[in-house]
Amino acid sequence: MDDDAVFRALADASRRQLLDRLHDRDGQTLGDLCMGLQMTRQAVTKHLAILEDANLIATKRQGREKLHFINPVPINEIAERWIGKFEGPRLAALSDLKTRLEGEDQ
Amino acid sequence: MTEQSPIQNLAKSTFVYVTFIRTTPEKLWQALLQPEFTQQYWFGVTMKSDWKTGSPWRMTLSDGRLGDTGEVLECDPPKRLVLSWRNEFMPELTAEGFTRCTMELVPDRGAVKLTITHKSDVADSKLIKAVSGGWPTILSNLKSLLETGEIALTPNP
């Protein structure tokens, strides 16, 4: 897969927001994803196409509906390329610590 | 709203993972099923079956325990494999009953597009949650093994 396409797709706050929404609840339709967003339906459609080209989302037809699923595999590949091999356990510990400390702040 | 989804609960317990691997469908099919391959990229597990529609299959964990079991629902090498799938070693997951895992292999621009879809009829399925964490690493290792002959990451003990 093309790493450039993955980074380009991720280099946009709206697209990251769409991924966040799928991460919260996977398998949403275009209509579900548009709800409560400031973007037009056309803009969301365009962003979803870029995410799908980068293999960051996968789509499945179910009856009349097209459902969108977050596909974490390319991000995992990027992580393992530079991080996983050496730093996995330590980074996981650090990230747990960050989550805990930031959780306490709120 | 015209796009209400009546199947949202079902979709909640589904994941769809896709990876593109520079290999042939035949080699990928072998790698998905043959113990000498699966042991290398899949946390040491082996799958056993005659891979005929209607036959049982079972997965053995690296420590020899029974992992998951099920039935071969469809087998069309090297294109499509559909398995019923139940966890056998964590009682709360076993209680959820059978899930359904579909593996599809489609040649795509000199590579093979591998799509893994795993679904449960149980809303917020714990099994789906458990397996969805493991698959990305398994798939990255599988890709790495087929493309370079080595796995990227040795599984954490």
Side-chain angles (χ1 to χ4, degrees), chain B:
Chain B
M1 187 107 264
T2 50
E3 278 188 85
Q4 282 297 323
S5 22
I7 30 65
Q8 260 170 18
N9 283 341
L10 177 65
K12 241 180 197 174
S13 290
T14 302
F15 70 76
V16 183
Y17 287 168
V18 180
T19 186
F20 291 82
I21 301 179
R22 285 190 305 277
T23 185
T24 62
E26 291 74 17
K27 280 189 189 145
L28 180 53
W29 184 268
Q30 277 194 330
L32 286 169
L33 300 182
Q34 289 188 353
E36 56 269 40
F37 282 106
T38 57
Q39 272 172 326
Q40 293 181 70
Y41 68 83
W42 196 335
F43 309 126
V45 314
T46 51
M47 311 262 280
K48 207 171 169 189
S49 175
D50 63 11
W51 305 114
K52 292 194 166 72
T53 302
S55 293
W57 67 271
R58 56 194 290 146
M59 176 197 287
T60 307
L61 304 178
S62 56
D63 59 7
R65 274 183 305 160
L66 180 63
D68 301 343
T69 62
E71 189 185 314
V72 180
L73 301 176
E74 260 181 73
C75 186
D76 180 13
K79 285 186 264 181
R80 188 176 157 86
L81 180 68
V82 185
L83 304 175
S84 72
W85 187 305
R86 186 175 69 184
N87 177 284
E88 302 291 351
F89 67 100
M90 293 167 80
E92 75 273 24
L93 300 189
T94 310
E96 287 187 1
F98 285 98
T99 58
R100 188 183 175 98
C101 180
T102 305
M103 304 184 191
E104 290 160 296
L105 291 70
V106 179
D108 189 310
R109 289 161 285 175
V112 184
K113 180 182 183 185
L114 170 65
T115 305
I116 310 249
T117 309
H118 206 140
K119 277 182 202 203
S120 167
D121 291 334
V122 177
D124 294 319
S125 158
K126 289 194 184 73
L127 184 134
I128 293 298
K129 208 173 167 197
V131 287
S132 64
W135 272 114
T137 302
I138 295 166
L139 291 176
S140 297
N141 280 340
L142 170 63
K143 178 179 165 74
S144 177
L145 178 69
L146 285 169
E147 292 184 351
T148 70
E150 289 171 8
I151 62 164
L153 181 69
T154 40
N156 291 326

Side-chain angles (χ1 to χ4, degrees), chain A residues 7-59:
Chain A
F7 285 109
R8 271 198 300 270
L10 290 172
D12 180 281
S14 303
R15 290 196 283 273
R16 293 195 297 274
Q17 187 184 13
L18 288 169
L19 287 179
D20 284 338
R21 287 176 77 119
L22 288 176
H23 185 248
D24 284 345
R25 188 161 66 81
D26 216 359
Q28 298 191 54
T29 61
L30 176 61
D32 296 334
L33 283 167
C34 287
M35 246 180 266
L37 285 184
Q38 298 299 315
M39 281 180 271
T40 62
R41 202 179 169 87
Q42 288 75 9
V44 174
T45 305
K46 206 182 88 191
H47 287 312
L48 289 174
I50 292 171
L51 288 168
E52 190 168 11
D53 283 346
N55 197 28
L56 288 165
I57 61 170
T59 57

